Amino acid sequence: MRVTVNGWFWEYPATGSGQYARRVTEALAAIEPSLELTVVLPSRAAKQSAQPPRHAAPNLRFITTATPPTVLGKLWWEQVTMPRLAQRVGADLLHTPYWASPALSPTLNVVTIHDIIPLVLPAYRGHAGVRLYTALVQTTAARARLAITDSEASRQDILHHLKLPPQRVRAISLAVDDIYAPATAPDDCMIRHQYGIREPYILYLGGFDVRKNLSAALEAFAIAHRACPELRLVVAGRLPQQDSAFSPDPRRLAADQRLPPQAVRFLGFIPEEHKPALYRGAQAFVYVSTYEGFGYPCLEALSCGTPVVGSDRTSLPEVVGPAGILLAPEDVDGIAGALIQLCCDAAYLQELRCAAEIQSRRFSWQRTATETLAAYHDALNDPA
């Protein structure tokens, strides 16, 4: 089987789409040596040419093609460049690993739709240009032979909003890198000391847009801190440049709760290689988001043996399973009670740590690749 992969986000492995494109493609190459994979990389004028990996698998090759670094350049890439190149290299299948499959393609199409947040949440619909693009990719998704998504919750949203036939939408879960593991690394303490972190602490790591629900997390922590004054909250992630309704500044939210400055530490951006040390040192990871297509940070925490105090909405129950405490995202008192329990009940904390390790083993890139390969075969064998 010859598969061409849209590599638009390949150069950005820190993004969810970039990490998914790299990991699933590399895992596919590893599990099926007879599979011929061609990744098409954009050469953006602002970034010089994309550089293919030097040590790629023998059945994984790269093509670089010039692309203007503009919105229209991206649109042309998705709708014209990719289907033309897929046909030119004789691909049996074109995989777009994010929500932007071509409307017209001589090659059979598979698209991965990680979530449909702009259709589900009005606050995320953006300006007129964003809404127009969303309408376009919503239409082109119907032309794909198969749509892959990250969770059953997202699959149900896609069926409801995009009206695709159920047999053409498949949920295939994601995974995290091997650096996320429960075993303590020699430099864990040094990394935490570098950031001025003092134990015991609760960790939040992620974005700050409104669906992340940091207001409820900070209100709950304020209650927990009054009961356990030694407990701290560590907030990691690139902070908003300005305080707004869409991206409320967590520093202002903490001030609104009248928390003492030493109770909450804001770290800003954290390099990927430092994240496991932060997860492993935490009593718990708090993530009470109101909507997630998958919930990468929760799986990262579980893989490090850290239980999750999370939301019971959308995909998070699928990811967290029995390895955390899941509550309604508006249940501030319940979230606070869960944080207090994990701070005070060592036996229960250890029980959830063990459950976290077990739950995290359900997810691997090998499993993701195996199920994706099966989806490719089903798409090719579908007479539709």
Side-chain angles (χ1 to χ4, degrees):
M1 185 195 307
R2 296 185 181 95
V3 177
T4 295
V5 178
N6 178 324
W8 182 267
F9 287 104
W10 192 274
E11 298 174 71
Y12 301 98
T15 66
S17 294
Q19 186 173 112
Y20 169 78
R22 284 191 174 215
R23 297 297 176 261
V24 76
T25 304
E26 290 166 350
L28 280 163
I31 67 165
E32 184 49 76
S34 67
L35 190 64
E36 296 179 25
L37 289 150
T38 301
V39 179
V40 183
L41 301 174
S43 170
R44 301 172 177 95
K47 289 182 64 67
Q48 303 301 322
S49 61
Q51 295 299 316
R54 292 183 179 179
H55 304 292
N59 58 334
L60 177 57
R61 68 167 179 154
F62 296 83
I63 295 175
T64 302
T65 184
T67 309
T70 62
V71 172
L72 288 178
K74 180 174 183 288
L75 192 61
W76 183 267
W77 164 273
E78 294 161 351
Q79 298 300 319
V80 180
T81 301
M82 284 308 309
R84 282 181 178 175
L85 279 173
Q87 183 181 35
R88 187 181 306 166
V89 301
D92 300 304
L93 183 149
L94 168 61
H95 185 181
T96 307
Y98 63 100
W99 190 14
S101 56
L104 299 173
S105 174
T107 306
L108 184 147
N109 248 302
V110 171
V111 62
T112 297
I113 306 173
H114 296 288
D115 58 60
I116 54 168
I117 288 174
L119 298 182
V120 177
L121 303 178
Y124 289 76
R125 288 174 189 164
H127 54 72
V130 174
R131 293 193 296 273
L132 184 62
Y133 182 78
T134 301
L136 172 65
V137 296
Q138 182 177 356
T139 302
T140 61
R143 306 287 182 90
R145 181 67 59 86
L146 184 69
I148 296 171
T149 191
D150 303 341
S151 65
E152 183 59 34
S154 285
R155 179 176 180 271
Q156 293 303 319
D157 281 343
I158 289 168
L159 294 177
H160 177 72
H161 290 275
L162 301 186
K163 310 300 183 186
L164 299 182
Q167 69 273 16
R168 287 175 50 205
V169 186
R170 187 167 304 191
I172 300 177
S173 60
L174 306 181
V176 297
D177 283 352
D178 292 341
I179 64 168
Y180 296 98
T184 301
D187 58 352
D188 277 5
C189 289
M190 182 184 69
I191 290 171
R192 292 193 289 268
H193 178 75
Q194 172 185 331
Y195 290 105
I197 296 172
R198 295 172 59 191
E199 300 177 5
Y201 67 92
I202 303 297
L203 177 66
Y204 172 81
L205 194 160
F208 298 100
D209 46 299
V210 66
R211 70 187 165 95
K212 300 301 183 180
N213 200 26
L214 263 292
S215 57
L218 280 158
E219 186 179 351
F221 174 74
I223 297 171
H225 186 262
R226 288 194 288 271
C228 306
E230 74 280 9
L231 189 62
R232 293 169 179 81
L233 177 65
V234 172
V235 178
R238 200 183 299 278
L239 294 165
Q241 293 185 345
Q242 60 183 13
D243 192 6
S244 67
F246 183 77
S247 296
D249 193 317
R251 293 164 292 193
R252 191 260 304 165
L253 297 176
D256 289 347
Q257 295 300 324
R258 303 192 178 189
L259 284 159
Q262 68 273 17
V264 186
R265 185 154 188 82
F266 297 98
L267 305 185
F269 172 78
I270 300 294
E272 194 79 11
E273 62 270 20
H274 288 178
K275 290 179 183 179
L278 271 59
Y279 283 121
R280 284 191 284 259
Q283 296 287 108
F285 180 65
V286 62
Y287 202 79
V288 289
S289 173
T290 58
Y291 186 95
E292 293 293 326
F294 183 72
Y296 251 123
C298 289
L299 184 54
E300 290 173 350
L302 297 179
S303 299
C304 292
T306 302
V308 174
V309 175
S311 163
D312 63 358
R313 303 287 163 84
T314 61
S315 63
L316 295 184
E318 297 176 53
V319 175
V320 177
I325 303 172
L326 301 179
L327 300 148
E330 65 274 8
D331 183 5
V332 171
D333 289 335
I335 297 165
L339 297 177
I340 293 168
Q341 184 176 11
L342 290 174
C343 180
C344 300
D345 190 339
Y348 184 55
L349 175 61
Q350 184 57 37
E351 179 184 330
L352 284 186
R353 286 192 185 280
C354 292
E357 293 186 41
I358 294 169
Q359 176 70 2
S360 68
R361 292 191 205 114
R362 295 182 58 245
F363 304 86
S364 72
W365 285 118
Q366 182 178 15
R367 174 186 167 183
T368 304
T370 300
E371 294 181 9
T372 301
L373 183 60
Y376 288 171
H377 282 293
D378 290 346
L380 287 168
N381 293 327
D382 185 349

